[in-house]
Amino acid sequence: MSDHQSIDGPQLLDERAGDAALDAPNYDNEFDAIVVGAGLAGSAAALTMAKQGLEPLLVERGLYPGAKNVFGGVLYTPTIRELVDLDAAPLERYVAEKRFSMLSHDDETAISLKPGEWHREPHNDSYTVYRGEFDAWFADQAVEAGATLVTETTVTGVIREGGDIVGVETDRPDGAIRAPYVVLAEGGNSLVSEGAALKSTESRENIAVAAKEVLEFPERSGVIEDRFRLVGDAGVSYQYFGEGAVGEAYGGGFIYTNGDTVSVGVAYSLEDAATKRQSPEETLNLFKSHPAVAPLLRGARTVEYGAKTIPEGGAESMPDLVHDGAVIVGDAAGLVLNNGVHLEGTNMAVESGYYAGTAIVEAAERGRTEASALESYPERLEDSFVVQNLERYAWLQDRVEEDRELLFEQLPRAIADASSEYFTMDRRPKEMHAKAAKQRVFDTLGGWKGATKLALRYRKLVK
Amino acid sequence: MSVSPQVPEIENDSMEDRLYTVKYEDPGDSHLNVKVASICADSCETADCVSICPADVWRREDGEGVPTIAYENCLECSSCRFACPYDNVSWEYPKTGAGVTYKHG
């Protein structure tokens, strides 16, 4: 028996798949390239190729593009905006406020950022979206440019001739499809790339597990605007750290506002989930119940529960991106920056898909498929914000891991205690409270010496 | 005035109700399995698959033996695949569009 709501028969199958996917026509050698996965990276690659006159086939295992996707909640659009008309896209809200919160067991210490500029277009290129809607729309843009999309079709492996990748196997009858180029955009759970020995399975120390709910407020309209102090299409991105957010684990909680729902979730080290016996569901429940979080969610009803793993290995975990006849993009290539301050991935997915698509167009013009002919993809990626940002923060995760107890437990508690002390209302002079507050933080850091050491250890953050 | 902090009661859905919010089509057979049953039965004491699963797919009777797999609960997050210290989880994508379908995601 399934606990899920079942789908009633084939009438609900997505129309975009049409008869094409169901009848499995022979696509062998009909296309210039096969893109495995119609997420952001795959559709960006297909769109880029189609715009340059190639005919890519976009293969999606879900009922529609985005059907299998879950993300934290913010789509970053600097490159998408160059590729498509975003005014027509299904966006939920632009991010007008970023808020960083330290949670101890029952304290909150927060910093809120609301630059006025974010209210003006392009809104710092940061929007909340539903991937189920946005990815379907984005894939449609690729189709309008000339790509062909098949859904409900799972790629099960690559076809090799000699050492070259010359196509893919699918789960359709006579499901082998050949094409000169294969773009592996299958996401972090990259079974095809791993099965083809193009990358190894990421160790669990480099994987985060995320559990998320989309909540609505059935009792009255306008509650999101009221509760998050929003006007019009403005929205918020709230990030939470510390033991009140995800217990003893390395990671954080988040709240994002959509049009008429909020997304709330936790994402933290899979290693911690395993060794500290901290289940995603229980961690999510505790986060939602924190005194600083619960009032934001009061009266909400769950409309969707989801879970996903996030590859967080960073620059060191990136596999070889080009192979003879194939490229790897997006989450499959480990292109996620999740360091606490910046939580990015959608921009990197689009950027990698764009460069990979461009490299294939150039190689196709010369009739070449070998890895060296596709080298402009990793080269452009190296020169772009994608690899530069990943490398910039490569040291941070290890560093934070070493300082974890101080950063996520002791310091949040000390700062909360210090601010409580500093603003204590009694008949003693302020000077006493200020001194005591300062002492509380300093004791935790290990005095001037400790504070200086800590600042030195993290100086690269502001370099 | 009350001295205890006033925190609104958050009513979290049960796992069953949570999973009910996700559309699901049964592929007919499990896309998840264990590779070698004896590894679970004889070597594994921690059952990390059970503690990390966000959807209550993996369960172990009396804390030992080969876990049962409620694959119909699976949200396809792949946590179990990465978490198993024995690399003993066999994971395939559900076939032909089956499995979970997220509306929001």
Side-chain angles (χ1 to χ4, degrees):
Chain A
M1 234 281 307
S2 160
D3 289 336
H4 298 276
Q5 185 180 342
S6 86
I7 292 166
D8 302 322
Q11 71 270 22
L12 288 184
L13 298 181
D14 187 51
E15 284 173 11
R16 272 180 302 272
D19 294 338
L22 299 175
D23 291 349
N26 185 3
Y27 282 148
D28 223 15
N29 288 319
E30 292 292 308
F31 294 95
D32 296 314
I34 298 164
V35 181
V36 181
L40 295 168
S43 288
L47 178 62
T48 302
M49 290 188 277
K51 278 185 161 183
Q52 303 289 319
L54 293 189
E55 291 185 24
L57 174 68
L58 194 48
V59 184
E60 166 58 41
R61 70 186 179 96
L63 293 187
Y64 48 80
K68 301 286 187 184
N69 297 353
V70 178
F71 86 144
V74 181
L75 177 77
Y76 301 105
T77 55
T79 304
I80 295 190
R81 191 153 46 84
E82 306 288 313
L83 296 173
V84 295
D85 175 15
L86 262 193
D87 290 343
L91 306 171
E92 291 295 310
R93 291 178 182 275
Y94 68 85
V95 175
E97 177 188 5
K98 276 176 100 69
R99 197 161 175 277
F100 300 89
S101 252
M102 287 279 213
L103 301 181
S104 70
H105 177 68
D106 61 0
D107 309 301
E108 174 180 37
T109 307
I111 298 172
S112 162
L113 308 167
K114 294 181 171 183
E117 195 186 331
W118 292 359
H119 287 292
R120 294 186 285 278
E121 287 194 352
H123 303 301
N124 196 32
D125 276 311
S126 308
Y127 298 88
T128 55
V129 304
Y130 295 132
R131 295 291 298 277
E133 290 178 16
F134 188 88
D135 288 18
W137 177 86
F138 192 41
D140 273 348
Q141 305 308 300
V143 169
E144 277 178 25
T148 299
L149 170 68
V150 291
T151 57
E152 298 168 73
T153 302
T154 302
V155 171
T156 52
V158 301
I159 305 171
R160 280 188 195 269
E161 246 163 42
D164 301 354
I165 291 168
V166 296
V168 299
E169 299 281 356
T170 74
D171 62 349
R172 291 292 173 188
D174 301 318
I177 312 171
R178 283 158 193 271
Y181 305 96
V182 172
V183 178
L184 292 154
E186 54 181 333
N189 188 17
S190 30
L191 300 180
V192 180
S193 305
E194 289 177 35
L198 304 181
K199 65 178 281 195
S200 51
T201 308
E202 186 61 277
S203 69
R204 73 182 189 185
E205 290 81 8
N206 289 334
I207 298 284
V209 57
K212 168 183 141 175
E213 284 183 325
V214 179
L215 305 174
E216 66 175 18
F217 300 87
E219 274 182 25
R220 60 189 179 90
S221 62
V223 64
I224 292 174
E225 287 82 351
D226 291 352
R227 224 169 264 186
F228 294 90
R229 298 167 294 169
L230 302 174
V231 177
D233 296 331
V236 305
S237 158
Y238 287 3
Q239 292 167 224
Y240 296 87
F241 314 96
E243 62 181 337
V246 287
E248 291 179 26
Y250 175 43
F254 58 82
I255 297 177
Y256 301 107
T257 51
N258 307 307
D260 51 12
T261 65
V262 300
S263 298
V264 53
V266 289
Y268 59 99
S269 154
L270 187 58
E271 169 83 4
D272 289 342
T275 57
K276 298 180 195 299
R277 326 303 289 171
Q278 212 178 293
S279 87
E281 189 195 23
E282 189 55 28
T283 306
L284 177 62
N285 288 348
L286 285 172
F287 172 59
K288 287 172 65 185
S289 304
H290 191 280
V293 176
L296 298 171
L297 309 178
R298 185 188 43 192
R301 188 173 70 100
T302 305
V303 290
E304 192 169 87
Y305 176 62
K308 202 76 177 173
T309 48
I310 309 165
E312 296 189 341
E316 286 169 26
S317 289
M318 266 170 52
D320 287 340
L321 300 182
V322 293
H323 302 271
D324 294 333
V327 295
I328 308 181
V329 297
D331 275 18
L335 304 180
V336 174
L337 178 66
N338 231 357
N339 65 10
V341 181
H342 307 283
L343 310 177
E344 300 181 15
T346 56
N347 50 346
M348 298 178 156
V350 171
E351 199 76 0
S352 65
Y354 170 65
Y355 290 134
T358 305
I360 289 174
V361 169
E362 290 166 358
E365 280 167 2
R366 294 181 286 139
R368 309 273 293 275
T369 61
E370 72 276 17
S372 60
L374 298 164
E375 205 55 42
S376 75
Y377 160 47
E379 282 170 10
R380 287 196 178 107
L381 206 65
E382 293 269 340
D383 289 341
S384 75
F385 72 89
V386 177
V387 173
Q388 287 182 12
N389 287 352
L390 284 178
E391 285 178 346
R392 176 175 158 85
Y393 291 106
W395 58 277
L396 185 64
Q397 187 142 342
D398 292 341
R399 182 78 265 168
V400 170
E401 183 68 36
E402 281 171 40
D403 293 331
R404 162 152 83 183
E405 214 184 314
L406 174 67
L407 291 178
F408 289 147
E409 290 172 38
Q410 295 165 354
L411 199 55
R413 224 176 292 149
I415 290 171
D417 289 352
S419 45
S420 157
E421 172 69 43
Y422 189 84
F423 290 108
T424 292
M425 205 36 74
D426 58 17
R427 300 174 68 199
R428 281 179 293 168
K430 296 287 184 211
E431 188 186 351
M432 280 180 62
H433 290 302
K435 272 187 179 158
K438 194 171 82 179
Q439 201 56 46
R440 177 71 180 85
V441 175
F442 265 41
D443 287 349
T444 303
L445 292 175
W448 274 113
K449 213 169 163 188
T452 309
K453 271 188 188 166
L454 192 71
L456 276 172
R457 286 212 290 279
Y458 291 90
R459 68 190 179 281
K460 276 196 238 164
L461 276 182
V462 288
K463 207 167 72 178
Chain B
M1 207 172 78
S2 164
V3 289
S4 60
Q6 304 205 349
V7 182
E9 191 76 19
I10 293 295
E11 286 182 23
N12 281 302
D13 285 347
S14 65
M15 179 61 84
E16 194 178 5
D17 285 342
R18 278 186 162 136
L19 293 176
Y20 194 76
T21 64
V22 188
K23 285 190 192 304
Y24 176 77
E25 192 186 352
D26 192 342
D29 56 328
S30 181
H31 64 291
L32 301 174
N33 224 319
V34 299
K35 291 177 185 168
V36 182
S38 63
I39 291 180
C40 302
D42 303 334
S43 306
C44 180
E45 289 178 0
T46 55
D48 291 348
C49 55
V50 177
S51 37
I52 55 82
C53 179
D56 204 10
V57 171
W58 297 83
R59 298 165 197 179
R60 215 179 190 195
E61 302 290 329
D62 305 322
E64 55 184 50
V66 182
T68 59
I69 303 170
Y71 75 89
E72 308 91 332
N73 283 1
C74 181
L75 296 169
E76 295 166 39
C77 77
S78 70
S79 298
C80 52
R81 189 174 165 256
F82 292 107
C84 177
Y86 303 96
D87 186 25
N88 199 34
V89 173
S90 152
W91 212 110
E92 291 171 13
Y93 296 126
K95 301 275 189 269
T96 57
V100 295
T101 292
Y102 290 113
K103 184 164 167 264
H104 298 307

